[in-house]
Amino acid sequence: MTGRILRVGAAQLGPISRDESRTQVVKRLTTLLDRAADRDVRLVAFPELALTTFFPRWYTEDVSGHDHYYEREMPSAGTRPLFEAARAHGIGFSLGYAELTPDGHRYNTTILVDERGETVGRYRKVHIPGHEHNEPWRPFEHLERRYFEESDEGFSVWRAFGGLVGLATCNDRRWPETYRELGLQGVELILIGYNTPIHYAPDPGQNPLQGFHNHLVMQAGAYQNGTWVVGVAKGGVEEGVESLCQSAIIAPSGQIVAQAVTTGDELVVADCDLDWCRHYKDTLFDFDRYRRPEMYRRLSNQKGVIEPN
Ligand code: ING
């Protein structure tokens, strides 16, 4: 490869228990950063909600019942050691966490931090899956729609690490709109953290397909937009809930070039040639030449299905 090579690490996390402290978790994150430094990695992607257990699996009467899982400032005393370790190594990172804003808004947030330890981007999750109210019939809940607001800030791409980097989170990866919104900004690398339970209560028939669907959507998104995609899990059996791992680094061709082989803390590394994107952006997916937005009016004007009469 002769282009702009960016060595990327997907820092997969195994389970985080409900009472694991920020200090204990940050120690795990800095250990993965140390491993990344040993392998000359320049950018590390951490999962969604990487500082705590996936707390939306439990219902609380008062929405503020989980507020101790949120960050009111970033970095904070508990997370500053992560920023300091990254800066010391000269490594950038993305980090997913629960954000509680000073005016009381709750978001499922991911930040992009450069090699100097400066936050260069922030993304708040757009597609919030699951349900809003207590559904005790489930073996575990998926109350993201109770504990996080849908972001109205949309999808952004930042110039960083010698390329064009975008962020998305978990359920976002299942929606083609996510990748195209980033693709129309020229994105060359999309970092996506996820927490995905294997059991899908509304349709358990999907359970054996979780791994297939996980890679399917990210490989499609990569190929159809000529971009690298890094999917990084927090998985394993977390508080009794089996969650998908299979973190993967996917090339603009849609090929998986590296993937996790464990269900624990694991660093998956690949050399991402950002110039590889041009092979697709300048040919098959030359958007300016081939797209027909005047034919796609439904895509941005219609929410649900409207069938013909
Ligand atoms: N998790 C899940 C995801 O989209 C989910 C929600 C679980 C969807 C299982 C389908 C099956 O991967 C988050 N956090 O969005």
Side-chain angles (χ1 to χ4, degrees), residues 48 125 129 142 144 170-171 173-174 195-197 200 210:
E48 170 192 37
K125 189 173 180 180
H142 201 102
E144 285 195 65
C170 202
N171 195 253
R173 76 190 187 285
R174 301 180 192 276
N195 288 239
T196 299
Y200 185 56
Q210 289 298 359

Side-chain angles (χ1 to χ4, degrees), residues 103 136 156 188 306:
D103 52 349
S156 299
E188 297 170 320
I306 300 173

Side-chain angles (χ1 to χ4, degrees), residues 223 225-226 252-253 276-286:
Y223 165 63
N225 294 278
S253 60
W276 190 346
C277 300
R278 300 308 332 162
H279 290 295
Y280 292 86
K281 292 179 189 289
D282 294 348
T283 59
L284 271 171
F285 298 112
D286 177 345

Side-chain angles (χ1 to χ4, degrees), residues 48-49 54 108 125 127-130 142 144 169-175 193-201 206 210 214:
E48 170 192 37
L49 298 177
F54 187 78
N108 188 333
K125 189 173 180 180
H127 297 100
I128 306 294
H142 201 102
E144 285 195 65
T169 306
C170 202
N171 195 253
D172 289 324
R173 76 190 187 285
R174 301 180 192 276
W175 300 93
Y194 58 87
N195 288 239
T196 299
I198 299 294
H199 178 63
Y200 185 56
Q206 297 182 32
Q210 289 298 359
N214 179 46

Side-chain angles (χ1 to χ4, degrees), residues 65-87:
H66 283 322
D67 279 0
H68 56 290
Y69 287 123
Y70 289 73
E71 307 302 317
R72 288 166 173 75
E73 54 181 345
M74 184 53 71
S76 59
T79 51
R80 199 174 310 283
L82 174 66
F83 285 68
E84 287 165 356
R87 191 174 55 241

Side-chain angles (χ1 to χ4, degrees), residues 78-282:
T79 51
R80 199 174 310 283
L82 174 66
F83 285 68
E84 287 165 356
R87 191 174 55 241
H89 285 311
I91 293 179
F93 63 93
S94 62
L95 179 74
Y97 61 92
E99 177 190 10
L100 176 55
T101 67
D103 52 349
H105 293 281
R106 294 176 175 80
Y107 296 106
N108 188 333
T109 297
T110 299
I111 53 173
L112 183 64
V113 180
D114 71 12
E115 57 277 9
R116 295 162 301 149
E118 298 298 321
T119 299
V120 294
R122 183 198 68 206
Y123 168 70
R124 290 164 168 165
K125 189 173 180 180
V126 167
H127 297 100
I128 306 294
H131 52 283
E132 293 85 351
H133 305 295
N134 196 15
E135 297 187 10
W137 58 271
R138 294 168 177 256
F140 54 89
E141 309 232 25
H142 201 102
L143 287 156
E144 285 195 65
R145 297 181 69 82
R146 180 177 183 77
Y147 295 109
F148 298 121
E149 294 173 44
E150 293 174 332
S151 164
D152 57 10
E153 295 175 348
F155 300 97
S156 299
V157 172
W158 297 276
R159 290 193 182 281
F161 306 100
L164 292 165
V165 181
L167 299 174
T169 306
C170 202
N171 195 253
D172 289 324
R173 76 190 187 285
R174 301 180 192 276
W175 300 93
E177 295 87 345
T178 299
Y179 302 93
R180 190 47 51 90
E181 275 292 310
L182 295 167
L184 286 167
Q185 299 175 70
V187 74
E188 297 170 320
L189 173 66
I190 305 174
L191 309 178
I192 309 177
Y194 58 87
N195 288 239
T196 299
I198 299 294
H199 178 63
Y200 185 56
D203 179 19
Q206 297 182 32
N207 295 4
L209 298 172
Q210 289 298 359
F212 166 65
H213 288 155
N214 179 46
H215 287 165
L216 173 71
V217 293
M218 294 194 289
Q219 289 179 267
Y223 165 63
Q224 291 167 337
N225 294 278
T227 178
W228 288 87
V229 172
V230 176
V232 58
K234 168 151 67 67
V237 181
E238 184 176 273
E239 296 294 337
V241 175
E242 189 185 4
S243 302
L244 185 69
C245 283
Q246 299 197 3
S247 303
I249 300 178
I250 297 162
S253 60
Q255 294 168 287
I256 294 175
V257 298
Q259 64 180 310
V261 293
T262 73
T263 57
D265 293 11
E266 178 180 348
L267 185 71
V268 180
V269 177
D271 286 340
C272 301
D273 179 355
L274 300 181
D275 288 340
W276 190 346
C277 300
R278 300 308 332 162
H279 290 295
Y280 292 86
K281 292 179 189 289
D282 294 348

